[in-house]
Each structure stands twice: as structure tokens, then as C-alpha cells.
Amino acid sequence: MPSHLNSTAFKLTLLFSSVALITGCEKEPVQITPKLVVVEKVSTATVPLYGNYVGVTKASLDVEVRARVDGFVENKTFIEGSAVKEGALLYRIDNRPYVAVVNRLSANVESQQSALEKAQRDVERLKPLYEQDAASQLDFDNALSVLSQAKSSVAASKAELEEARLELSYTEIQSPISGLVSRSEVDIGALVGSSGQSLLTRVKQVDPIYVTFNMSALDYLNARRRMTSDKEQQAAESEGKAVEGFVTITLPDNSEYRYLGDVGFTDPSVNPETGTFQVRAELPNPDKELLPGQYTNVRIKLSEVSGAIVIPQKATQVEQGGVYVMIVLPNNKVERRFIVIKHQGEMGVVVQSGLKAGELVIVEGMHRVRHGQLAEPLTAEQYNKKEDVKQKAQALKQQKLEQEQGDN
């Protein structure tokens, strides 16, 4: 065989050997395993929008108990801070000077009454004599004048006696309302009235109790828009509440108070310094759980959004560019999408734009995936089942390994 043919054959053999060697060294394609993520389907709902404020409780009635007459305090008959009924005796002022005045004026009334009866008898005696011309016109007119003066004197004396008795009644100071009585401002023996201390104590009605809070002008606008008819607006305004509805408040331990409050008054003007106006609600307080002066969290429904896109709060992430969520598309690819939030509340995050109902939003496992990667969307139940299977398999593997080590 010619030498050049041997050379060509050798080169071809070497080429085929190299190709076979390269082909044998190629690796199989890498299988990409989709990451497990928990998703929830984007849904729509009617979402109530609430306003949250800081409120202060106030007594529904706060009455000052004052001395109406001058005198020395003789007795105090209540326990400070206790509950009292309307009409209950609180203080007794030394009444002896007032009793003396009543006795004197009573005697004066009796004297004037006697004079009146004598004047009536004189007129009755002179009238037939005058009709028979046995008595002069002057005598009869004088008798009538004396009778009229006697009647006026009796009326004046009775008025003075009534005034004295009224002042005597003021020496026993009673509670004007039912409620909680405050501390006493005077001690026994103190001079009270116009010549001394006038304010004795206060009685506060705490059932029902008021809670006041300040709303912004924007919240006011939203609350007004809930009233869809002019009739509703006029009815609310006629009752002194341009904003109506029920409020919930919290107790000092942050638990929710079991009674709702009804808005009963709204200030008709806005404070120009704060841009807010005051609202007052009334709440039942039968067990005295609330006391005047407590700070509390107040919530009132302002409006509601129908057909709102709602997602869980945990599905959102925040970065410098804004708020975004991770979506699993129908082809199982992950997409990072920025959204615009309208409201955040108890039901979740209300999305104004960026999402559509029915899309799958990742709520757990978003740290495992990035934009464009593949993911296996699972419900929370499906994910937990897979995790249980995985943990059991690992436990069995570990148990088998420990047994092998023990045998060795």
C-alpha cells in the first residue's frame, strides 16, 4: 500500500477516535428542580375602611356640688369615691340660724292671718249696715281697704316664710344625680357659702360614659360619603351628629371593650390649628370598667371598598423602588411585580393596581426564588404534607445510619 494512503488512514482513525472520546465525555443535561413555594389565589372582597384615633373618656355628667347658704359644715355623710344615688345626703350645714328665721316668720304669718280674719269680719259686719244706710260710705271703704292690705300682708309673709324654708332645706346638701362622688373639698367645721368655700365636691355620672376623639377633615369626608341620601344627612345633622356610626374602644390592657359606642355629637367646626374636629360617642358602662380621663384607642367605620383586590400582608416586600410581590405565572415561572397599595387593614392589603383576581401570589418561600426562575406552587396544606414526608425520610435515613454505625 502506498505510504500516502497509510498516512491518510491514520489521520482518519485518529479523528474518529477523538470524536468518540469527546462524545463520551459530554455530560447529561442538568435537570432544574422547581422550588417549592406556598401561594394564595388573589381574591376580591368588600373591605371596610376604618379610622383609628386616640380618644379620652369623660363623664356624661360632671356636676359641681356647691353650698347655697352660708354656714358651718356640721356633718359629712358620704365616703369619698363611692357611688351615690340621686337625692342622697352629702353634707349637713348648721341649720339653727335658719330654723330661728323660719319660726319667726311662721309666727308673723299667723299674726297677719289673724289681722286678715278680723278685716274680713269687719267688712261682713259693715256691708249690711251700709246697704241699709246705717253705716257711712267712708267706714265701709276703710274696712275694704284694711281687708285688701291684710291680704297683701299675709301673701308677703307667706312668701318670706317660703324663702326661709327653702334656705333651711339648703342646709342639707343632697346629690343632684346618681354617680361617683369625688373627694371632699371641705372638712367638718369649715365655713361654706358666699362667705367661705363654695365648692364642696363633685358627682360624676359614668354610666353611660363619653369618649371624645378628633377626626381629620378627610375622614369626615369619607364618613359623609357613606350617607348616600340627603335624607340620611339631614337626619344626622338634626340629631347633632354630622358623622354617625358605632365605635369600638380598647381597655387599658388593650382588649376590646364589649360594648359599642354610638356617635352622638360632632363639632360643627374644624380646628384651624390641627385640621381636625371633635367627635363624641356614648357607651354603656354598667360595671364601671371605664373611668373618666382614660386614654383609649377608638375605631370607627368610615367607608367600604367593593370588589377590592385583597392579598395577605406577608405577601408584600418593600424596597427602594416601592412595594412588590412575587407571582407564579401559568407556566410556573416567577415574576416580581410592583403594586400600588390603597389600604392596609385587618383583612389584608387592598391593592389599587398591579394585580388581578385569580393570580397566584407567593406568601411563603419567596426567599427561595428569583424573578424568572421556576417554582412549584402549592397550597399551605400541600406544602406541609411534602415537608412531613421529607422530614420522615430524613429521620429514617438518620436512624439507618446510626444502626449501621452501631453494628460496626
Side-chain angles (χ1 to χ4, degrees), residues 267-314:
D267 198 322
S269 61
V270 174
N271 186 333
E273 295 181 358
T274 61
T276 62
F277 66 101
Q278 191 176 85
V279 181
R280 187 183 69 204
E282 182 179 299
L283 300 95
N285 189 30
D287 300 325
K288 310 296 187 297
E289 290 182 276
L290 299 173
L291 292 175
Q294 290 181 211
Y295 284 95
T296 181
N297 296 317
V298 182
R299 188 181 71 170
I300 183 173
K301 183 179 178 181
L302 301 176
S303 61
E304 59 184 23
V305 180
S306 300
I309 301 293
V310 184
I311 61 173
Q313 175 73 46
K314 59 184 178 181

Side-chain angles (χ1 to χ4, degrees), residues 200-219:
L200 306 183
T201 187
R202 310 172 77 100
V203 180
K204 299 183 179 184
Q205 179 179 284
V206 295
D207 182 26
I209 196 168
Y210 289 154
V211 59
T212 60
F213 55 97
N214 293 324
M215 291 181 65
S216 68
L218 178 59
D219 289 345

Side-chain angles (χ1 to χ4, degrees), residues 56-330:
V56 181
T57 56
K58 291 185 178 181
S60 52
L61 287 176
D62 188 351
V63 182
E64 293 181 342
V65 179
R66 293 184 177 271
R68 298 187 180 185
V69 294
D70 295 340
F72 293 95
V73 177
E74 194 174 63
N75 194 13
K76 178 174 74 72
T77 60
F78 67 92
I79 299 175
E80 296 173 319
S82 65
V84 295
K85 295 290 186 180
E86 180 180 354
L89 181 64
L90 301 180
Y91 295 93
R92 186 178 285 111
I93 297 175
D94 183 11
N95 64 356
R96 289 174 295 179
Y98 299 96
V99 171
V101 173
V102 168
N103 292 337
R104 176 172 58 81
L105 293 178
S106 296
N108 186 46
V109 168
E110 292 177 0
S111 175
Q112 297 294 335
Q113 186 67 35
S114 298
L116 173 61
E117 292 173 356
K118 179 182 180 302
Q120 288 176 336
R121 290 194 299 269
D122 290 343
V123 170
E124 292 173 356
R125 185 178 65 253
L126 286 174
K127 184 177 181 181
L129 296 176
Y130 170 71
E131 292 175 348
Q132 298 174 7
D133 293 332
S136 66
Q137 178 74 41
L138 179 61
D139 291 338
F140 186 62
D141 288 344
N142 287 338
L144 290 175
S145 177
V146 171
L147 177 61
S148 178
Q149 292 176 2
K151 289 181 179 179
S152 298
S153 297
V154 169
S157 298
K158 286 184 177 180
E160 290 179 354
L161 176 59
E162 184 65 25
E163 183 180 1
R165 285 174 174 170
L166 186 61
E167 289 186 343
L168 176 60
S169 69
Y170 289 157
T171 60
E172 291 189 347
I173 301 174
Q174 301 173 340
S175 175
I177 60 171
S178 297
L180 299 179
V181 62
S182 185
R183 68 177 184 275
S184 178
E185 300 292 341
V186 295
D187 296 324
I188 295 175
L191 177 63
V192 297
S194 60
S195 301
Q197 174 73 23
S198 173
L199 177 62
L200 306 183
T201 187
R202 310 172 77 100
V203 180
K204 299 183 179 184
Q205 179 179 284
V206 295
D207 182 26
I209 196 168
Y210 289 154
V211 59
T212 60
F213 55 97
N214 293 324
M215 291 181 65
S216 68
L218 178 59
D219 289 345
Y220 167 80
L221 181 62
N222 291 331
R224 291 287 291 179
R225 284 173 175 168
R226 286 179 54 201
M227 304 179 194
T228 56
S229 66
D230 294 337
K231 185 177 181 181
E232 289 179 330
Q233 295 181 3
Q234 292 174 2
E237 290 172 356
S238 65
E239 297 173 2
K241 47 184 182 181
V243 173
E244 64 177 1
F246 294 97
V247 303
T248 58
I249 69 170
T250 58
L251 295 172
D253 61 356
N254 289 325
S255 63
E256 189 172 289
Y257 187 53
R258 64 181 180 275
Y259 296 106
L260 295 177
D262 186 17
V263 173
F265 165 77
T266 54
D267 198 322
S269 61
V270 174
N271 186 333
E273 295 181 358
T274 61
T276 62
F277 66 101
Q278 191 176 85
V279 181
R280 187 183 69 204
E282 182 179 299
L283 300 95
N285 189 30
D287 300 325
K288 310 296 187 297
E289 290 182 276
L290 299 173
L291 292 175
Q294 290 181 211
Y295 284 95
T296 181
N297 296 317
V298 182
R299 188 181 71 170
I300 183 173
K301 183 179 178 181
L302 301 176
S303 61
E304 59 184 23
V305 180
S306 300
I309 301 293
V310 184
I311 61 173
Q313 175 73 46
K314 59 184 178 181
T316 61
Q317 296 289 321
V318 181
E319 68 171 22
Q320 189 173 359
V323 180
Y324 69 90
V325 294
M326 305 296 282
I327 304 296
V328 179
L329 300 175

